Every structure is written in C-alpha cells, then in structure tokens.
Amino acid sequence: MLDVQFLNDKASKLMLFLKKVKKILQNGKDAFLTTPMYPDRTQYYLISAFNELEEINCHLLKEITGEKTKGNCTEKVAKEGVFSEKTNRAFIDFSRYIKSIMEEKYRYSPQELYVLASDITGTLSDRFIKELAGVVKELKAKEPELTVPVNMKKLQNNAKAVKSAVRKVSNFLNFPLDEFRDSPLFQDRSRYFAVVTADSSLWICRHILRKAGKKPDKNCFKQLAQKGFISEETAEKLSILVEQRDRLADPSAEYDPEYLYRLLKETTPYFLTFLTEISKSLVKKKPS
C-alpha cells in the first residue's frame, strides 16, 4: 500500500533541490556560463533531486506493477505513462542526464547544462506536485478496503521481520539433526531468530487486537483466533513457541538440542501461515 508520508517527505526534498537549481539559473545565462561555481552546484543539486525522484518513482512502481524494483524507476515510470507526456519527457531527459554523468562520465558544458537544467526544473517545478497528487489519489482508490484500521506500514515492516527470521531459522533446520545437535552456533542463532519471530508476530497480534477494540492479554494469538483473524491451529502453534520466548532469549537457559530442533520444526512454519491468514482477514471482501 502507498506510504503517503514517505511520498510527501521525498517530494518536499525534491522540490527543495529543484528550487536551489532555479535560484542559480535566475542569475541569468551569462552569469551561469562565466561563474564556475554555478555549474558545479547545479550538477550537485540535480543529482540530489534525482535521488529523491527515483525513490518516489520506485515506490509508485511497486504499487503499479506489484513488483519491488531497484534502479531506473524514473525511466520505467515514464514508459508506463503514469504522468503527463511533458512530465514523462522530463523524466527521460533527467534519467539520461544522470546516467551520462554517473556511468558514462560525460562532462556537460556549462551551455548544455544550463539548457538542460532549465528544461528539467521548469517542467518538474510547475507540474510534478500536482500530477503526483493525482497519481496518489488514483492509486489509493484502487487499494483494498481494510476490515480494521491498522498501521499498514508498521505491520508490513514487522511482517518482513517475521519472514526474514523464519527463513534464517529454516536455514539451520535444513541441516540434519546430528549436525544441528553438534553445533552450538546453529542452536544459538536459531534461538535468536526464533525470538525475533515471536516478538514481531506479537507486535502484529497486539496491534490488530487494539485496532479491533480488544485489549490484548497473554493469550494474544488465541484472542486473534476467537475474533476470526487466524485459525485455531495457527494460534495454538504460535502460542507454543511464544510461551518459551523469554527462555529462548536467556543465554543462561539450556535447551536439549534435539528438543529445540523439533520445537522449531513444529512451530516456525506456522508463522508464515499466520501472515497469510492475517493478510486475508484484513482485506474486506467485495460483494459479489
């Protein structure tokens, strides 16, 4: 889902850098061509502005295509035709400029830079914020309606932490029991990531319950199952591990390696099931 605060912050920084470029250009072409400091500062501000624009467009592209993209987002957004033709043209010119100076080490003459900077800053300063607002409004209208008003950004961050920790625990559990039993490092690291899994899942559980108007207690996952967000089986498996959270986190607490191995084998896959069930329960079903 769109992070509007993130977009607002990035857009504000983008416009600040463009404003700095425009201030230099307002001194006139002759001053720009004869003052060595002006082209250098202009290039620095344009690079800074593009970095902000690229982050904005990578975020938009993820929402548009459903895929996380790194690199060339501004050019890709232009090719998608998300903004107006004139703005998309400025995106392409801006992308090519950055690529030429960063990758191809091309050095623009003051004359070339003055013309390019004038076109890019003129177009984006006049059009970008208004057009971005329209794009955001259109994308927000397509987002699914939630059954509970959760903080989606924080929920997604904790879900990512769960997925990452489960994957790391699984890496250790992929070894045969004998190798796991003989490796204190495997046991220590798997305990650590099991605690991360438990903590992030508990945050999600408590957050959803609070937003649903219910006070969380020590049986958080069972409460979540009672409210219909997850299955009873998932709640039971998660509770088994979470009940041992403090012991797992205590370096002085000893575990029989075989017991630890089987405990994690039995419970950690259910944390991914938990995320799947939560995702489905949070999205309102459209009437057929």
Side-chain angles (χ1 to χ4, degrees):
M1 300 181 75
L2 279 177
D3 186 340
V4 177
Q5 184 61 53
F6 171 82
L7 293 174
N8 285 337
D9 291 343
K10 292 297 173 182
S12 296
K13 292 178 181 177
L14 166 65
M15 299 312 291
L16 176 63
F17 288 123
L18 293 179
K19 185 177 180 181
K20 290 179 181 292
V21 174
K22 288 188 75 174
K23 188 174 181 180
I24 292 174
L25 298 177
Q26 285 169 358
N27 290 307
K29 186 175 182 179
D30 289 342
F32 188 88
L33 299 180
T34 58
T35 309
M37 174 178 65
Y38 287 170
D40 289 342
R41 286 191 178 179
T42 295
Q43 179 165 293
Y44 169 76
Y45 292 140
L46 285 176
I47 292 172
S48 299
F50 186 81
N51 289 338
E52 303 299 332
L53 180 62
E54 185 74 356
E55 290 198 53
I56 291 170
N57 283 327
C58 283
H59 188 65
L60 294 177
L61 204 60
K62 182 173 180 285
E63 298 303 314
I64 294 166
T65 65
E67 298 178 1
K68 191 172 183 178
T69 307
K70 289 186 178 180
N72 301 320
C73 294
T74 298
E75 188 172 351
K76 290 174 183 176
V77 163
K79 291 178 179 178
E80 289 280 343
V82 177
F83 291 83
S84 69
E85 185 176 346
K86 190 170 183 179
T87 299
N88 288 331
R89 181 73 255 171
F91 282 179
I92 292 174
D93 290 343
F94 208 170
S95 297
R96 289 175 178 171
Y97 164 71
I98 295 297
K99 183 177 180 180
S100 66
I101 62 171
M102 301 299 289
E103 298 179 16
E104 301 168 10
K105 307 301 180 184
Y106 179 79
R107 185 169 181 81
Y108 280 69
S109 68
Q111 176 79 27
E112 290 174 313
L113 184 56
Y114 182 84
V115 173
L116 183 69
S118 297
D119 289 343
I120 291 173
T121 56
T123 299
L124 296 185
S125 295
D126 293 342
R127 308 171 71 94
F128 181 71
I129 294 297
K130 184 177 180 180
E131 291 186 19
L132 177 62
V135 171
V136 169
K137 183 178 180 180
E138 184 177 340
L139 290 175
K140 290 292 287 183
K142 295 178 181 179
E143 288 183 349
E145 191 175 354
L146 300 179
T147 57
V148 177
V150 296
N151 184 324
M152 187 56 70
K153 181 66 175 178
K154 290 185 177 180
L155 192 147
Q156 288 174 335
N157 287 340
N158 279 278
K160 287 178 183 177
V162 172
K163 289 179 182 178
S164 176
V166 168
R167 184 173 64 251
K168 289 169 182 174
V169 171
S170 298
N171 288 338
F172 298 115
L173 299 180
N174 285 335
F175 287 91
L177 174 58
D178 288 346
E179 290 187 46
F180 183 87
R181 184 167 45 210
D182 294 338
S183 175
L185 175 63
F186 287 3
Q187 297 163 38
D188 176 72
R189 292 289 81 196
S190 62
R191 286 174 63 172
Y192 171 80
F193 289 116
V195 171
V196 173
T197 303
D199 288 349
S200 296
S201 298
L202 275 171
W203 187 95
I204 293 172
C205 182
R206 291 164 179 162
H207 179 66
I208 293 174
L209 282 176
R210 290 189 184 103
K211 291 298 181 179
K214 191 170 182 65
K215 185 178 179 180
D217 60 27
K218 64 179 182 179
N219 296 316
C220 184
F221 297 110
K222 292 180 181 178
Q223 288 179 282
L224 213 55
Q226 291 168 359
K227 296 286 287 185
F229 285 99
I230 60 176
S231 67
E232 291 184 4
E233 181 183 7
T234 299
E236 181 182 349
K237 295 297 184 181
L238 268 59
S239 297
I240 291 171
L241 183 65
V242 169
E243 285 170 2
Q244 298 202 42
R245 185 263 175 217
D246 291 344
R247 188 182 172 204
L248 286 164
D250 183 358
S252 65
E254 294 185 1
Y255 268 90
D256 173 67
E258 184 171 344
Y259 171 77
L260 177 63
Y261 186 83
R262 300 198 185 284
L263 169 68
L264 298 180
K265 277 273 193 181
E266 178 186 355
T267 59
T268 52
Y270 279 88
F271 285 87
L272 299 182
T273 304
F274 166 69
L275 296 181
T276 300
E277 292 176 353
I278 286 296
S279 297
K280 290 180 179 178
S281 65
L282 285 177
V283 176
K284 278 188 178 180
K285 294 181 180 179
K286 294 182 179 181
S288 54

